[in-house]
Amino acid sequence: MEHHSLACIELEMALLIRRITSIASDKKIANLDRSAYLLLHQISVYGSSGVKALADEFHLDISTVSRQAAALEQKEYLYKIPDPLDGRAYSFQITELGTEELIAYKQARLARITELLKDWSEEECESFGQLLKKFNSTICIK
């Protein structure tokens, strides 16, 4: 790989992160933030999950995920399912209200992305999506 290509990627990633952070902090969509959206999405798609499994999935501390999940439980977006074999353990399941918020948030995000990419061709969008997916799959936070 050429140094110029890597330098371009590095700078564009920094700009992307800055701009995404700015958009997210200025314009809250629905009642979710990024971490809530990702937790609800994970549970919605893959089913109930414990804090340790969620922490492993997102490469976060158990305490961080526990705090995030507790906030979602307080908003009644998640509820706990006790583990019948271990009275101390439990997993989280998404509620109907949580599903509604997740759908509303995702629709708002898709509308924003649609607006941003309105001048892009379908091929450009497809290519960009595949490259982002590939890039995300190479990132392993330890």
Side-chain angles (χ1 to χ4, degrees), residues 36-84:
Y37 169 69
L38 292 172
L39 283 175
L40 290 176
H41 180 268
Q42 180 72 18
I43 294 169
S44 175
V45 171
Y46 297 103
S48 64
S49 186
V51 172
K52 183 176 180 348
L54 291 167
D56 289 347
E57 175 65 28
F58 295 113
H59 304 280
L60 296 171
D61 292 335
I62 290 174
S63 62
T64 300
V65 174
S66 181
R67 197 170 42 255
Q68 292 171 349
L72 292 172
E73 183 182 22
Q74 189 173 28
K75 291 181 177 183
E76 298 182 354
Y77 297 164
L78 293 178
Y79 66 92
K80 290 179 184 175
I81 301 171
D83 183 334

Short mmCIF file of all heavy atoms in Angstrom, two decimals, residues 36-84:
data_model
loop_
_atom_site.label_atom_id
_atom_site.label_comp_id
_atom_site.label_asym_id
_atom_site.label_seq_id
_atom_site.Cartn_x
_atom_site.Cartn_y
_atom_site.Cartn_z
N ALA A 36 -26.98 2.96 23.04
CA ALA A 36 -28.31 2.37 23.25
C ALA A 36 -28.80 1.72 21.96
O ALA A 36 -29.35 0.61 21.98
CB ALA A 36 -29.29 3.44 23.72
N TYR A 37 -28.61 2.42 20.85
CA TYR A 37 -29.02 1.88 19.55
C TYR A 37 -28.33 0.55 19.27
O TYR A 37 -28.99 -0.43 18.89
CB TYR A 37 -28.69 2.89 18.45
CG TYR A 37 -28.82 2.35 17.05
CD1 TYR A 37 -30.07 2.03 16.52
CD2 TYR A 37 -27.70 2.16 16.25
CE1 TYR A 37 -30.19 1.54 15.22
CE2 TYR A 37 -27.82 1.68 14.96
CZ TYR A 37 -29.07 1.37 14.45
OH TYR A 37 -29.18 0.87 13.18
N LEU A 38 -27.03 0.49 19.48
CA LEU A 38 -26.29 -0.74 19.19
C LEU A 38 -26.70 -1.89 20.12
O LEU A 38 -26.84 -3.03 19.66
CB LEU A 38 -24.78 -0.49 19.26
CG LEU A 38 -24.25 0.42 18.15
CD1 LEU A 38 -22.79 0.78 18.41
CD2 LEU A 38 -24.41 -0.23 16.79
N LEU A 39 -26.91 -1.60 21.40
CA LEU A 39 -27.35 -2.66 22.32
C LEU A 39 -28.74 -3.17 21.95
O LEU A 39 -28.96 -4.39 21.89
CB LEU A 39 -27.36 -2.15 23.77
CG LEU A 39 -26.02 -2.04 24.47
CD1 LEU A 39 -26.19 -1.42 25.85
CD2 LEU A 39 -25.35 -3.40 24.60
N LEU A 40 -29.66 -2.25 21.70
CA LEU A 40 -31.01 -2.68 21.33
C LEU A 40 -31.00 -3.44 20.01
O LEU A 40 -31.70 -4.45 19.86
CB LEU A 40 -31.95 -1.47 21.24
CG LEU A 40 -32.30 -0.79 22.56
CD1 LEU A 40 -33.17 0.44 22.31
CD2 LEU A 40 -32.99 -1.76 23.51
N HIS A 41 -30.21 -2.98 19.06
CA HIS A 41 -30.12 -3.67 17.77
C HIS A 41 -29.59 -5.09 17.96
O HIS A 41 -30.15 -6.05 17.41
CB HIS A 41 -29.21 -2.88 16.82
CG HIS A 41 -29.07 -3.53 15.49
ND1 HIS A 41 -28.06 -4.41 15.21
CD2 HIS A 41 -29.82 -3.45 14.37
CE1 HIS A 41 -28.19 -4.84 13.96
NE2 HIS A 41 -29.24 -4.28 13.44
N GLN A 42 -28.54 -5.23 18.73
CA GLN A 42 -27.94 -6.55 18.97
C GLN A 42 -28.96 -7.51 19.57
O GLN A 42 -29.11 -8.65 19.12
CB GLN A 42 -26.72 -6.41 19.89
CG GLN A 42 -26.01 -7.70 20.21
CD GLN A 42 -25.22 -8.26 19.05
OE1 GLN A 42 -24.92 -7.57 18.09
NE2 GLN A 42 -24.88 -9.53 19.13
N ILE A 43 -29.67 -7.06 20.58
CA ILE A 43 -30.65 -7.92 21.25
C ILE A 43 -31.85 -8.18 20.34
O ILE A 43 -32.38 -9.30 20.30
CB ILE A 43 -31.08 -7.30 22.60
CG1 ILE A 43 -29.87 -7.31 23.56
CG2 ILE A 43 -32.26 -8.05 23.21
CD1 ILE A 43 -30.07 -6.49 24.81
N SER A 44 -32.26 -7.18 19.60
CA SER A 44 -33.38 -7.34 18.68
C SER A 44 -33.09 -8.38 17.60
O SER A 44 -33.92 -9.22 17.28
CB SER A 44 -33.72 -6.00 18.03
OG SER A 44 -34.72 -6.15 17.06
N VAL A 45 -31.88 -8.34 17.06
CA VAL A 45 -31.51 -9.24 15.97
C VAL A 45 -31.14 -10.64 16.47
O VAL A 45 -31.56 -11.64 15.89
CB VAL A 45 -30.34 -8.64 15.14
CG1 VAL A 45 -29.80 -9.65 14.14
CG2 VAL A 45 -30.81 -7.37 14.42
N TYR A 46 -30.39 -10.71 17.56
CA TYR A 46 -29.84 -12.00 18.00
C TYR A 46 -30.53 -12.60 19.22
O TYR A 46 -30.17 -13.67 19.67
CB TYR A 46 -28.34 -11.86 18.26
CG TYR A 46 -27.58 -11.49 17.01
CD1 TYR A 46 -27.15 -10.20 16.80
CD2 TYR A 46 -27.36 -12.44 16.01
CE1 TYR A 46 -26.48 -9.84 15.64
CE2 TYR A 46 -26.69 -12.09 14.84
CZ TYR A 46 -26.26 -10.80 14.66
OH TYR A 46 -25.60 -10.45 13.50
N GLY A 47 -31.51 -11.89 19.78
CA GLY A 47 -32.24 -12.43 20.92
C GLY A 47 -31.62 -12.02 22.24
O GLY A 47 -30.62 -11.30 22.30
N SER A 48 -32.24 -12.49 23.32
CA SER A 48 -31.80 -12.09 24.65
C SER A 48 -30.32 -12.41 24.84
O SER A 48 -29.79 -13.35 24.27
CB SER A 48 -32.63 -12.78 25.72
OG SER A 48 -32.46 -14.17 25.66
N SER A 49 -29.69 -11.58 25.67
CA SER A 49 -28.25 -11.71 25.86
C SER A 49 -27.87 -11.22 27.24
O SER A 49 -28.48 -10.29 27.77
CB SER A 49 -27.51 -10.90 24.79
OG SER A 49 -26.13 -11.12 24.87
N GLY A 50 -26.84 -11.83 27.79
CA GLY A 50 -26.31 -11.41 29.07
C GLY A 50 -25.30 -10.30 28.91
O GLY A 50 -24.81 -10.02 27.81
N VAL A 51 -24.99 -9.65 30.02
CA VAL A 51 -24.07 -8.52 30.01
C VAL A 51 -22.69 -8.94 29.51
O VAL A 51 -22.07 -8.22 28.72
CB VAL A 51 -23.99 -7.88 31.42
CG1 VAL A 51 -22.92 -6.82 31.48
CG2 VAL A 51 -25.33 -7.29 31.80
N LYS A 52 -22.21 -10.09 29.92
CA LYS A 52 -20.88 -10.53 29.49
C LYS A 52 -20.82 -10.74 27.98
O LYS A 52 -19.87 -10.31 27.32
CB LYS A 52 -20.46 -11.80 30.21
CG LYS A 52 -19.04 -12.23 29.81
CD LYS A 52 -18.55 -13.42 30.56
CE LYS A 52 -17.17 -13.88 30.20
NZ LYS A 52 -16.53 -13.36 29.03
N ALA A 53 -21.84 -11.36 27.43
CA ALA A 53 -21.86 -11.58 25.97
C ALA A 53 -21.93 -10.26 25.22
O ALA A 53 -21.26 -10.08 24.19
CB ALA A 53 -23.05 -12.46 25.59
N LEU A 54 -22.71 -9.32 25.73
CA LEU A 54 -22.79 -8.00 25.09
C LEU A 54 -21.45 -7.27 25.20
O LEU A 54 -21.00 -6.64 24.25
CB LEU A 54 -23.91 -7.17 25.73
CG LEU A 54 -25.32 -7.65 25.43
CD1 LEU A 54 -26.33 -6.95 26.35
CD2 LEU A 54 -25.67 -7.43 23.97
N ALA A 55 -20.82 -7.37 26.37
CA ALA A 55 -19.51 -6.73 26.55
C ALA A 55 -18.49 -7.32 25.59
O ALA A 55 -17.70 -6.58 24.97
CB ALA A 55 -19.05 -6.88 28.00
N ASP A 56 -18.51 -8.63 25.43
CA ASP A 56 -17.59 -9.28 24.49
C ASP A 56 -17.87 -8.83 23.06
O ASP A 56 -16.94 -8.56 22.30
CB ASP A 56 -17.72 -10.80 24.58
CG ASP A 56 -17.15 -11.38 25.87
OD1 ASP A 56 -16.43 -10.65 26.59
OD2 ASP A 56 -17.45 -12.55 26.16
N GLU A 57 -19.13 -8.75 22.68
CA GLU A 57 -19.50 -8.35 21.32
C GLU A 57 -19.00 -6.95 20.98
O GLU A 57 -18.52 -6.70 19.88
CB GLU A 57 -21.02 -8.41 21.16
CG GLU A 57 -21.52 -7.90 19.83
CD GLU A 57 -21.08 -8.73 18.64
OE1 GLU A 57 -20.85 -9.95 18.79
OE2 GLU A 57 -20.94 -8.14 17.54
N PHE A 58 -19.11 -6.03 21.93
CA PHE A 58 -18.76 -4.64 21.67
C PHE A 58 -17.37 -4.26 22.18
O PHE A 58 -16.99 -3.09 22.10
CB PHE A 58 -19.82 -3.70 22.25
CG PHE A 58 -21.15 -3.85 21.57
CD1 PHE A 58 -22.24 -4.37 22.25
CD2 PHE A 58 -21.32 -3.50 20.24
CE1 PHE A 58 -23.47 -4.52 21.61
CE2 PHE A 58 -22.53 -3.66 19.60
CZ PHE A 58 -23.61 -4.16 20.28
N HIS A 59 -16.64 -5.24 22.71
CA HIS A 59 -15.29 -5.01 23.22
C HIS A 59 -15.29 -3.90 24.29
O HIS A 59 -14.50 -2.97 24.24
CB HIS A 59 -14.32 -4.67 22.08
CG HIS A 59 -14.28 -5.69 21.01
ND1 HIS A 59 -13.56 -6.86 21.13
CD2 HIS A 59 -14.89 -5.75 19.81
CE1 HIS A 59 -13.72 -7.59 20.05
NE2 HIS A 59 -14.53 -6.93 19.22
N LEU A 60 -16.23 -4.03 25.25
CA LEU A 60 -16.36 -3.08 26.33
C LEU A 60 -16.25 -3.80 27.67
O LEU A 60 -16.39 -5.02 27.75
CB LEU A 60 -17.74 -2.38 26.26
CG LEU A 60 -18.01 -1.52 25.04
CD1 LEU A 60 -19.47 -1.09 25.01
CD2 LEU A 60 -17.09 -0.30 25.04
N ASP A 61 -16.02 -3.03 28.72
CA ASP A 61 -16.02 -3.59 30.06
C ASP A 61 -17.44 -4.01 30.43
O ASP A 61 -18.42 -3.36 30.02
CB ASP A 61 -15.56 -2.56 31.09
CG ASP A 61 -14.09 -2.19 30.95
OD1 ASP A 61 -13.32 -3.01 30.42
OD2 ASP A 61 -13.74 -1.08 31.36
N ILE A 62 -17.54 -5.05 31.24
CA ILE A 62 -18.84 -5.51 31.71
C ILE A 62 -19.55 -4.38 32.46
O ILE A 62 -20.76 -4.19 32.30
CB ILE A 62 -18.69 -6.76 32.59
CG1 ILE A 62 -18.27 -7.95 31.73
CG2 ILE A 62 -19.97 -7.06 33.35
CD1 ILE A 62 -17.95 -9.21 32.50
N SER A 63 -18.81 -3.60 33.24
CA SER A 63 -19.43 -2.51 34.00
C SER A 63 -20.05 -1.46 33.08
O SER A 63 -21.11 -0.91 33.38
CB SER A 63 -18.43 -1.87 34.95
OG SER A 63 -17.36 -1.29 34.21
N THR A 64 -19.40 -1.18 31.95
CA THR A 64 -19.93 -0.20 31.00
C THR A 64 -21.24 -0.69 30.40
O THR A 64 -22.23 0.03 30.36
CB THR A 64 -18.90 0.06 29.87
OG1 THR A 64 -17.70 0.57 30.45
CG2 THR A 64 -19.44 1.03 28.84
N VAL A 65 -21.25 -1.94 29.94
CA VAL A 65 -22.46 -2.50 29.35
C VAL A 65 -23.55 -2.63 30.39
O VAL A 65 -24.73 -2.35 30.11
CB VAL A 65 -22.17 -3.86 28.67
CG1 VAL A 65 -23.46 -4.52 28.19
CG2 VAL A 65 -21.20 -3.67 27.51
N SER A 66 -23.20 -3.01 31.59
CA SER A 66 -24.17 -3.14 32.66
C SER A 66 -24.85 -1.79 32.93
O SER A 66 -26.07 -1.71 33.10
CB SER A 66 -23.49 -3.65 33.93
OG SER A 66 -24.42 -3.81 34.96
N ARG A 67 -24.06 -0.74 32.97
CA ARG A 67 -24.59 0.61 33.19
C ARG A 67 -25.51 1.03 32.03
O ARG A 67 -26.60 1.57 32.25
CB ARG A 67 -23.42 1.58 33.34
CG ARG A 67 -23.71 2.89 33.96
CD ARG A 67 -22.46 3.71 34.31
NE ARG A 67 -21.40 3.69 33.32
CZ ARG A 67 -20.27 3.01 33.43
NH1 ARG A 67 -20.03 2.26 34.49
NH2 ARG A 67 -19.36 3.06 32.48
N GLN A 68 -25.09 0.76 30.80
CA GLN A 68 -25.89 1.11 29.63
C GLN A 68 -27.20 0.31 29.62
O GLN A 68 -28.27 0.87 29.35
CB GLN A 68 -25.11 0.84 28.34
CG GLN A 68 -23.94 1.77 28.15
CD GLN A 68 -23.04 1.36 26.99
OE1 GLN A 68 -23.16 0.26 26.43
NE2 GLN A 68 -22.13 2.24 26.62
N ALA A 69 -27.12 -0.96 29.91
CA ALA A 69 -28.32 -1.81 29.92
C ALA A 69 -29.27 -1.39 31.05
O ALA A 69 -30.49 -1.38 30.87
CB ALA A 69 -27.93 -3.28 30.06
N ALA A 70 -28.71 -1.03 32.20
CA ALA A 70 -29.55 -0.58 33.32
C ALA A 70 -30.32 0.69 32.94
O ALA A 70 -31.50 0.83 33.29
CB ALA A 70 -28.70 -0.35 34.55
N ALA A 71 -29.67 1.59 32.22
CA ALA A 71 -30.34 2.81 31.77
C ALA A 71 -31.48 2.47 30.80
O ALA A 71 -32.56 3.07 30.87
CB ALA A 71 -29.35 3.76 31.10
N LEU A 72 -31.26 1.50 29.94
CA LEU A 72 -32.30 1.08 29.00
C LEU A 72 -33.42 0.34 29.72
O LEU A 72 -34.59 0.46 29.34
CB LEU A 72 -31.70 0.20 27.90
CG LEU A 72 -30.76 0.92 26.94
CD1 LEU A 72 -30.08 -0.07 26.01
CD2 LEU A 72 -31.51 1.97 26.15
N GLU A 73 -33.08 -0.38 30.76
CA GLU A 73 -34.11 -1.05 31.56
C GLU A 73 -34.96 -0.01 32.30
O GLU A 73 -36.19 -0.13 32.37
CB GLU A 73 -33.46 -2.01 32.56
CG GLU A 73 -34.47 -2.80 33.37
CD GLU A 73 -33.82 -3.71 34.39
OE1 GLU A 73 -32.67 -3.47 34.79
OE2 GLU A 73 -34.51 -4.66 34.80
N GLN A 74 -34.32 1.04 32.81
CA GLN A 74 -35.04 2.10 33.51
C GLN A 74 -36.02 2.81 32.57
O GLN A 74 -37.11 3.20 32.99
CB GLN A 74 -34.05 3.09 34.10
CG GLN A 74 -34.68 4.11 35.01
CD GLN A 74 -33.63 4.96 35.70
OE1 GLN A 74 -32.54 5.18 35.19
NE2 GLN A 74 -33.97 5.45 36.88
N LYS A 75 -35.66 2.94 31.29
CA LYS A 75 -36.55 3.55 30.30
C LYS A 75 -37.60 2.56 29.79
O LYS A 75 -38.41 2.90 28.94
CB LYS A 75 -35.74 4.08 29.11
CG LYS A 75 -34.88 5.25 29.42
CD LYS A 75 -34.13 5.71 28.17
CE LYS A 75 -33.31 6.93 28.43
NZ LYS A 75 -32.64 7.42 27.22
N GLU A 76 -37.52 1.34 30.28
CA GLU A 76 -38.42 0.24 29.90
C GLU A 76 -38.24 -0.18 28.44
O GLU A 76 -39.18 -0.59 27.77
CB GLU A 76 -39.88 0.59 30.21
CG GLU A 76 -40.10 0.81 31.69
CD GLU A 76 -41.54 1.12 32.06
OE1 GLU A 76 -42.40 1.27 31.16
OE2 GLU A 76 -41.80 1.19 33.28
N TYR A 77 -37.00 -0.10 27.94
CA TYR A 77 -36.66 -0.58 26.61
C TYR A 77 -36.14 -2.02 26.67
O TYR A 77 -36.16 -2.73 25.67
CB TYR A 77 -35.59 0.29 25.96
CG TYR A 77 -36.01 1.72 25.71
CD1 TYR A 77 -35.06 2.69 25.45
CD2 TYR A 77 -37.35 2.13 25.73
CE1 TYR A 77 -35.43 4.01 25.20
CE2 TYR A 77 -37.71 3.44 25.50
CZ TYR A 77 -36.74 4.37 25.23
OH TYR A 77 -37.09 5.68 24.99
N LEU A 78 -35.67 -2.43 27.83
CA LEU A 78 -35.19 -3.79 28.08
C LEU A 78 -35.80 -4.29 29.38
O LEU A 78 -36.18 -3.51 30.23
CB LEU A 78 -33.66 -3.82 28.25
CG LEU A 78 -32.77 -3.49 27.08
CD1 LEU A 78 -31.29 -3.55 27.51
CD2 LEU A 78 -33.01 -4.44 25.92
N TYR A 79 -35.86 -5.62 29.50
CA TYR A 79 -36.21 -6.22 30.79
C TYR A 79 -35.31 -7.42 31.02
O TYR A 79 -34.75 -7.99 30.09
CB TYR A 79 -37.70 -6.60 30.87
CG TYR A 79 -38.13 -7.70 29.93
CD1 TYR A 79 -38.13 -9.04 30.32
CD2 TYR A 79 -38.57 -7.40 28.64
CE1 TYR A 79 -38.54 -10.04 29.47
CE2 TYR A 79 -38.98 -8.39 27.77
CZ TYR A 79 -38.97 -9.70 28.19
OH TYR A 79 -39.37 -10.69 27.33
N LYS A 80 -35.14 -7.76 32.31
CA LYS A 80 -34.26 -8.87 32.70
C LYS A 80 -35.02 -10.18 32.68
O LYS A 80 -36.17 -10.26 33.10
CB LYS A 80 -33.71 -8.64 34.11
CG LYS A 80 -32.71 -7.54 34.22
CD LYS A 80 -32.25 -7.39 35.66
CE LYS A 80 -31.31 -6.23 35.79
NZ LYS A 80 -30.94 -5.98 37.19
N ILE A 81 -34.32 -11.21 32.23
CA ILE A 81 -34.82 -12.58 32.29
C ILE A 81 -33.87 -13.34 33.22
O ILE A 81 -32.68 -13.49 32.91
CB ILE A 81 -34.80 -13.25 30.90
CG1 ILE A 81 -35.66 -12.47 29.92
CG2 ILE A 81 -35.25 -14.70 31.01
CD1 ILE A 81 -35.52 -12.96 28.48
N PRO A 82 -34.36 -13.79 34.39
CA PRO A 82 -33.48 -14.51 35.32
C PRO A 82 -33.01 -15.85 34.73
O PRO A 82 -33.75 -16.52 34.01
CB PRO A 82 -34.35 -14.75 36.55
CG PRO A 82 -35.64 -14.06 36.30
CD PRO A 82 -35.71 -13.65 34.88
N ASP A 83 -31.79 -16.21 35.07
CA ASP A 83 -31.25 -17.51 34.66
C ASP A 83 -31.76 -18.55 35.66
O ASP A 83 -31.50 -18.43 36.86
CB ASP A 83 -29.72 -17.45 34.68
CG ASP A 83 -29.07 -18.74 34.22
OD1 ASP A 83 -29.68 -19.82 34.34
OD2 ASP A 83 -27.93 -18.66 33.73
N PRO A 84 -32.48 -19.56 35.19
CA PRO A 84 -33.05 -20.55 36.12
C PRO A 84 -31.99 -21.39 36.83
O PRO A 84 -32.25 -21.92 37.91
CB PRO A 84 -33.93 -21.43 35.22
CG PRO A 84 -33.45 -21.19 33.84
CD PRO A 84 -32.82 -19.83 33.80
#
